[in-house]
Amino acid sequence: MTVEEVAALVRPNIAGLCPYSTARDEMQGKPDIFLDANESPYPNGWNRYPDPHQQELKALLGGIKGIAPEKIFFGNGSDEAIDLIFRVFCTPGKDNAVAIAPSYGMYKVAAVINDVECREVLLEDDFTLDAEKLIAACDARSKVIFLCSPNNPSGNAFPLEQIREILARFKGIVVVDEAYIDFCSQPSASSLIDLYPNLIILQTCSKARGMAALRLGIALSNAYVIRLMSMVKYPYNINLATQQLAKELLSQPIDAQVREVISERARVSEAFGHFDCIEKVYPSEANFILVKAKDADALYNYLLDKKIIVRNRTNVPGCRNCLRITIGLKEENDRLLAAMKEFI
């Protein structure tokens, strides 16, 4: 697809939108006295509005990822970016989106909130993706496809060649959610941004970078799509505290922590295979492991009694009797394994 074809997908009211202009957008020069934004003049460190475009943060992240700042969007968590994608491209009551299942539940929730039909395509029994089934679920009103890779809760990643095939065949927006890409042996699909104008990559600072409490999500795409999302977002969607702390934390290396999580993932996966209560351990490219238990409810409640909380996914399509277990610190994983060894 071309950028012009992507522009044709945009809701007409959004394409013609004149976005709100903040006082900081209109500011010229480098003033010493700020009398333009009706802020409190009493300095306490927080009395001024933050940069609505997070320019310093984008420059920092762009340097880390090798991506131009104008191709980066920051949201209040990735959920804001997901919601904005619906608001930019999907006309309520008319258009639809297609997502895989099982997968991250916010795609469907955001679709319902925006009055957009969400068509779910079940993955295969081993959680691989049949691209033909995915494309077959689309029609002329399908505006967006959501692919989570590595997928949540299954933990597997879809091959880049398969993602390229979907990008080339689908005449709409393809969203690849890479929240867990730091733990994945496969490279990010962000290398495809300049080749496919209909690609949006979602990433996050909540997982490998340890900023879940700050709520900082990332969208990567071409400059045109990023401008559209920036037009529709709330003016000051990323607060000053988040921007300041994120700059500090983004500057800290995470390679050693990521390697430890991957090593612990392998150790815990191998140990799970020796427990009678576990029927199957699914391969994972994320910071969690999906296991199929003989009785997920019983195992979940047993661990809860041991003050260990995991995620019971038994009611999710394709995940009957499955638990999703996050990789913790080594001592936490040891405690989990010791408790499961005693489970009867």
Side-chain angles (χ1 to χ4, degrees):
M1 291 184 71
T2 64
V3 172
E4 290 74 21
E5 289 174 311
V6 170
L9 298 170
V10 180
R11 286 169 53 181
N13 64 306
I14 300 300
L17 177 66
C18 181
Y20 177 75
S21 180
T22 72
R24 294 298 173 258
D25 287 310
E26 299 171 4
M27 183 177 67
Q28 297 180 9
K30 295 183 178 180
D32 293 323
I33 298 176
F34 293 84
L35 303 178
D36 60 339
N38 302 333
E39 302 152 319
S40 169
Y42 302 103
N44 61 6
W46 306 104
N47 59 307
R48 300 296 180 189
Y49 286 109
D51 174 8
H53 305 295
Q54 309 96 35
Q55 296 173 85
E56 292 183 4
L57 198 56
K58 288 178 180 178
L60 177 59
L61 185 72
I64 293 171
K65 294 186 174 293
I67 295 175
E70 62 268 23
K71 298 178 182 179
I72 299 173
F73 173 88
F74 283 118
N76 188 343
S78 297
D79 295 340
E80 181 183 11
I82 292 168
D83 180 63
L84 286 172
I85 291 166
F86 281 106
R87 291 161 66 188
V88 169
F89 293 104
C90 297
T91 300
K94 292 185 178 180
D95 293 332
N96 66 74
V98 178
I100 56 174
S103 196
Y104 183 43
M106 273 304 298
Y107 311 139
K108 187 172 184 178
V109 171
V112 172
I113 290 171
N114 285 280
D115 192 20
V116 174
E117 177 191 1
C118 185
R119 301 177 176 181
E120 293 186 317
V121 176
L122 284 176
L123 297 174
E124 304 302 295
D125 290 342
D126 60 355
F127 298 120
T128 55
L129 171 63
D130 187 329
E132 293 298 330
K133 289 182 181 179
L134 189 72
I135 297 298
C138 303
D139 61 19
R141 301 303 309 190
S142 299
K143 290 291 190 70
V144 185
I145 286 176
F146 286 94
L147 295 174
C148 188
S149 180
N151 189 35
N152 174 13
S154 57
N156 60 312
F158 305 118
L160 276 182
E161 281 306 309
Q162 190 174 43
I163 292 173
R164 289 180 69 120
E165 176 191 356
I166 294 166
L167 281 162
R169 294 178 61 185
F170 180 57
K171 301 305 179 183
I173 301 298
V174 178
V175 180
V176 181
D177 189 340
E178 295 185 339
Y180 303 95
I181 195 64
D182 295 287
F183 309 101
C184 185
S185 60
Q186 177 175 286
S188 167
S190 59
S191 60
L192 305 177
I193 285 174
D194 292 333
L195 300 175
Y196 298 95
N198 58 328
L199 172 63
I200 300 175
I201 301 287
L202 299 182
Q203 295 184 355
T204 182
C205 293
S206 295
K207 311 303 180 184
R209 293 199 171 272
M211 303 185 209
L214 296 185
R215 309 308 306 127
L216 188 64
I218 301 164
L220 309 172
S221 191
N222 63 79
Y224 172 69
V225 168
I226 295 301
R227 281 199 305 273
L228 288 170
M229 296 176 68
S230 299
M231 285 169 50
V232 179
K233 76 173 182 70
Y234 292 125
Y236 300 107
N237 63 324
I238 307 298
N239 67 67
L240 180 60
T242 292
Q243 292 189 44
Q244 291 180 344
L245 287 168
K247 282 189 289 185
E248 177 184 338
L249 292 169
L250 281 173
S251 300
Q252 298 177 5
I254 60 169
D255 292 352
Q257 292 181 353
V258 169
R259 286 195 300 269
E260 184 173 356
V261 168
I262 292 173
S263 176
E264 282 293 287
R265 182 182 70 196
R267 181 177 76 93
V268 173
S269 293
E270 195 275 335
F272 282 165
H274 297 290
F275 295 137
D276 290 338
C277 60
I278 301 297
E279 291 186 347
K280 185 175 179 61
V281 182
Y282 292 94
S284 176
E285 294 273 6
N287 68 334
F288 60 82
I289 302 167
L290 187 72
V291 298
K292 185 173 184 179
K294 290 182 179 178
D295 187 335
D297 291 338
L299 181 55
Y300 174 85
N301 289 324
Y302 165 80
L303 291 174
L304 197 59
D305 287 341
K306 296 288 186 179
K307 300 190 181 302
I308 300 171
I309 183 73
V310 298
R311 196 78 186 269
N312 192 345
R313 302 280 77 188
T314 192
N315 293 322
V316 172
C319 295
R320 180 66 181 164
N321 268 327
C322 286
L323 299 178
R324 192 195 70 192
I325 302 174
T326 306
I327 300 301
L329 297 173
K330 183 180 184 302
E331 53 268 30
E332 294 174 325
N333 301 329
D334 287 343
R335 183 173 158 189
L336 167 71
L337 296 176
M340 291 182 64
K341 190 174 183 180
E342 297 174 358
F343 178 71
I344 299 177

